[in-house]
Amino acid sequence: MNKPITKPEASTEDPFLWLEDRTSKQSLDWVYGQNEIAVGELQGDPFYQASFQTALDLMTAEDNIAVGAAIAGHVYNFWQDKTNALGLWRRTTVASYKTEKPVWETIIDFDQLAAKEGIKWVFSGASRLYPDFSRCLLSMSPDGGDASEMREFDIETRSFIEGGFRAPASKSSFSWLDKDTVIVSAAFEEADKTESGYPRVIKLWKRGTALEEAKPIFEAQKDDLAAGAGVEFDGDKRHVFLARAINFFASHSFLHLPSGENRRIPLPDDATDTSLFKDQLVFGVRTPWTAPDGTVCQPDGLYSLDFAHWIETGNFGAIETLLAPAHRVSIAGLARTQDRLFISLMDNVRGKVLVCERSDGAWSMKPVALPENGTVGISHAEHFGSSVSFSFTDFLTPSSIIWSDDDGETLETVKSQPARFDASLLISEQFEARSKDGTMIPYFVVRRRDQQGPVPTLLYGYGGFEVPLLPGYAGVRGRLWLEKGNAYVQACIRGGGEFGPAWHQAALKGNRQNGFDDFAAVAEDVVRRGIATASSLGIQGGSNGGLLTGVSLTQRPELFGAVIIEVPLLDMLRYTELPPGASWMAEYGDPSKPEDAKWLSAYSPYQHVKANAAYPPVLLTTSTADDRVHPGHARKMAARLQEAGHDRTLFFEETEGGHGGRGDRRPQAAQTAMKYVFLQRALGAKA
């Protein structure tokens, strides 16, 4: 099935180290050879073309919801369809947005721009200038990766500003201080970067001067994750915040004063969910913290302090409890309009939103009257106005946008995605599995209501970085998998954020095995309930989830009939050597430290491939342009599996699109169809 592997620059310690060279001829020749095999086998399947067309049709359907954010009377949206492969950045009035067929004005047509400049630009966002928001600092990636070029753009004239602010592609970020000054979080030269490759120095860049002349105002440490900066408006007050992100879960925040002083805000390092609202600094904590006034702040709670008082006196004063912690309730995020603060919550992995007011020195709070028993999110909140919108979905309910122009008081469903598959015969259920240490792990199952015996089943997991997996409608999954009588399972394992910081910390660093055990427990429970057999159970995960499925392959291959490993981390003893891997040491540990290397080496999939193991079929995918998780992980794992004789290992590498597969939908649809064909073939599913 697979071509023999050549080793042009083999190392005695790691024979496939040469595959870490992202763009060398040797590496790319190997990639092209692997792609030829995977494409031939999966795209050559008689059912591939119909699956591809279905995926592409759904990804580019003109009746997909145009999700947008309101600012200064307009709703802005980024849109892709069959005609606009790279997409349109566009806007319409709020009144028009609420109609069935809004009248959109195109701001930038990225397909036209790509044709003009010969670069497939991928839109990465825009920072708009207060108070009229017509000028913006536009970010565009040349290959879909995280590194983006910045150019100043005028929304009213639909044109780049001649002689305006412009910076080459990098992982820097930009925001406005005023119309003639840009705050630059710089990552251009090596001296500007942290060891992880992210911005280390904050600079002020004046109009008419060279970027190299920008004045540094703040620096993080070289071994920090990153430095960041931005302007926050609270009513008519403007604050410049600076941050030294020590790692993903710890940071120091500073207020940049007019005097030039950077005054540290003495919150705990692991403060989270911060927001400035009506002179109150709202915050949460990841571990218990006793405030200067003696208040004990607990994880999964929200607290506030008088920020204006702190600016004036340097003292926090009294800490108020805005939201007390509750069992299996965690905070998903905060957003604010001009007069309201919104709190998005997860209650046993089901969403709800609270709206808060601040008046006469006290907080008041009530729930927003949104649908229950699904995933509710805040789509946008207009910082300088009163519009706010919410999304609602679950596994069987198409997504909808619920809009309010009066801070959540009056709600109107303004957008509903049409049904993409027949859900009338399906049921969504929530179960729990007992993990190895006795912890109960919730998971969701979507399947036919009348299922009689085991069916091909796809189990999906992530389990990292405090990121929750929530119920959501997926038309492609419905059409290519569920409608054919197959089942889908989503596991809420430890390491994720489904139940707040403690759920994440239970699988952090040396506790990582807990998350892997959780996933195995869910797989076993699915089989025990008769939903699937081991041979009909496939697993899928991407990025940190790719590590999860890689470990599942090497630790418990007998539990699965197919394994999909997407844009993964797999060599955990070298991950810090592959940029920006050093940024994740707070999650996984530091392999240069013997204690950390001990637990990393205990599970690192790349080092645990065995020739005599009975592995199920494996599909590994990655992207040459992925500058977040290096493609070397997937390449080396595929090579090692194949060398060990596991000839049911397929590898496919996309040549553009970055970590999240941004850009043209056609390659995304092709890869999606290939994965479902792979599962059908491996698990005996109906095509």
Side-chain angles (χ1 to χ4, degrees), residues 242-261:
L242 309 172
R244 173 194 166 203
I246 301 168
N247 56 51
F248 264 92
F249 316 109
S251 64
H252 293 169
S253 296
F254 300 81
L255 183 66
H256 183 69
L257 299 173
S259 65
E261 175 193 353

Side-chain angles (χ1 to χ4, degrees), residues 40-338:
E41 186 156 328
L42 298 177
Q43 294 192 13
D45 187 282
F47 298 105
Y48 165 78
Q49 191 58 41
S51 297
F52 164 72
Q53 197 60 53
T54 296
L56 182 62
D57 288 347
L58 293 178
M59 289 179 179
T60 58
E62 294 190 9
D63 58 0
N64 281 334
I65 289 181
V67 178
I71 188 167
H74 284 92
V75 176
Y76 290 79
N77 163 259
F78 179 69
W79 180 257
Q80 291 172 283
D81 56 26
K82 284 190 178 70
T83 305
N84 304 285
L86 293 176
L88 305 172
W89 189 36
R90 59 187 191 170
R91 72 179 185 178
T92 188
T93 64
V94 172
S96 181
Y97 179 75
K98 295 178 182 180
T99 66
E100 188 175 338
K101 292 188 176 181
V103 178
W104 294 97
E105 308 171 54
T106 297
I107 300 171
I108 297 183
D109 182 325
F110 284 94
D111 293 277
Q112 287 186 5
L113 184 65
K116 178 182 178 182
E117 299 191 354
I119 298 173
K120 289 186 176 181
W121 291 112
V122 176
F123 182 49
S124 300
S127 172
R128 275 159 284 193
L129 177 62
Y130 173 87
D132 60 9
F133 307 106
S134 62
R135 285 284 178 103
C136 66
L137 304 172
L138 186 80
S139 293
M140 309 179 297
S141 168
D143 57 10
D146 289 347
S148 294
E149 179 174 311
M150 184 278 287
R151 301 185 201 174
E152 187 177 2
F153 186 84
D154 189 314
I155 292 173
E156 298 302 327
T157 63
R158 313 287 195 269
S159 61
F160 294 107
I161 305 297
E162 188 72 30
F165 291 108
R166 182 167 180 167
S170 73
K171 290 189 177 182
S172 306
S173 61
F174 307 86
S175 58
W176 294 101
L177 179 63
D178 56 48
K179 64 182 178 66
D180 292 317
T181 314
V182 169
I183 304 173
V184 183
S185 301
F188 299 104
E189 307 298 329
E190 283 306 310
D192 290 339
K193 300 176 184 177
T194 63
E195 290 175 358
S196 300
Y198 291 112
R200 188 186 69 83
V201 183
I202 308 299
K203 303 178 181 182
L204 294 183
W205 183 13
K206 292 290 186 181
R207 186 178 297 280
T209 66
L211 176 58
E212 294 75 19
E213 298 170 18
K215 175 187 174 185
I217 61 168
F218 182 78
E219 294 188 13
Q221 301 299 312
K222 191 72 174 175
D223 59 355
D224 287 343
L225 170 62
V231 173
E232 183 80 15
F233 288 90
D234 186 26
D236 58 358
K237 298 177 182 177
R238 183 183 71 172
H239 302 286
V240 178
F241 286 100
L242 309 172
R244 173 194 166 203
I246 301 168
N247 56 51
F248 264 92
F249 316 109
S251 64
H252 293 169
S253 296
F254 300 81
L255 183 66
H256 183 69
L257 299 173
S259 65
E261 175 193 353
N262 297 324
R263 186 194 292 179
R264 168 84 189 276
I265 304 169
L267 289 172
D269 289 1
D270 65 355
T272 183
D273 297 313
T274 55
S275 181
L276 189 60
F277 178 76
K278 303 280 188 179
D279 282 332
Q280 291 287 304
L281 181 60
V282 177
F283 67 95
V285 293
R286 291 187 170 91
T287 54
W289 177 65
T290 302
D293 72 338
T295 300
V296 179
C297 302
Q298 297 285 357
D300 300 316
L302 280 176
Y303 306 88
S304 74
L305 59 90
D306 188 331
F307 195 62
H309 175 78
W310 174 77
I311 293 174
E312 184 179 342
T313 67
N315 298 315
F316 271 171
I319 303 292
E320 297 181 55
T321 299
L322 173 55
L323 182 70
H327 179 63
R328 289 218 159 179
V329 175
S330 59
I331 298 157
L334 306 177
R336 62 160 296 177
T337 58
Q338 189 165 281

Side-chain angles (χ1 to χ4, degrees), residues 420-432:
R420 299 306 193 196
F421 59 93
D422 182 4
S424 63
L425 300 177
L426 301 175
I427 187 172
S428 174
E429 303 163 286
Q430 188 176 22
F431 298 116
E432 287 188 325

Side-chain angles (χ1 to χ4, degrees), residues 396-419:
L396 303 179
T397 305
S399 303
S400 60
I401 298 293
I402 302 167
W403 190 278
S404 172
D405 286 316
D406 55 6
D407 291 312
E409 294 293 331
T410 306
L411 300 169
E412 176 189 5
T413 299
V414 296
K415 303 290 174 191
S416 294
Q417 182 175 310

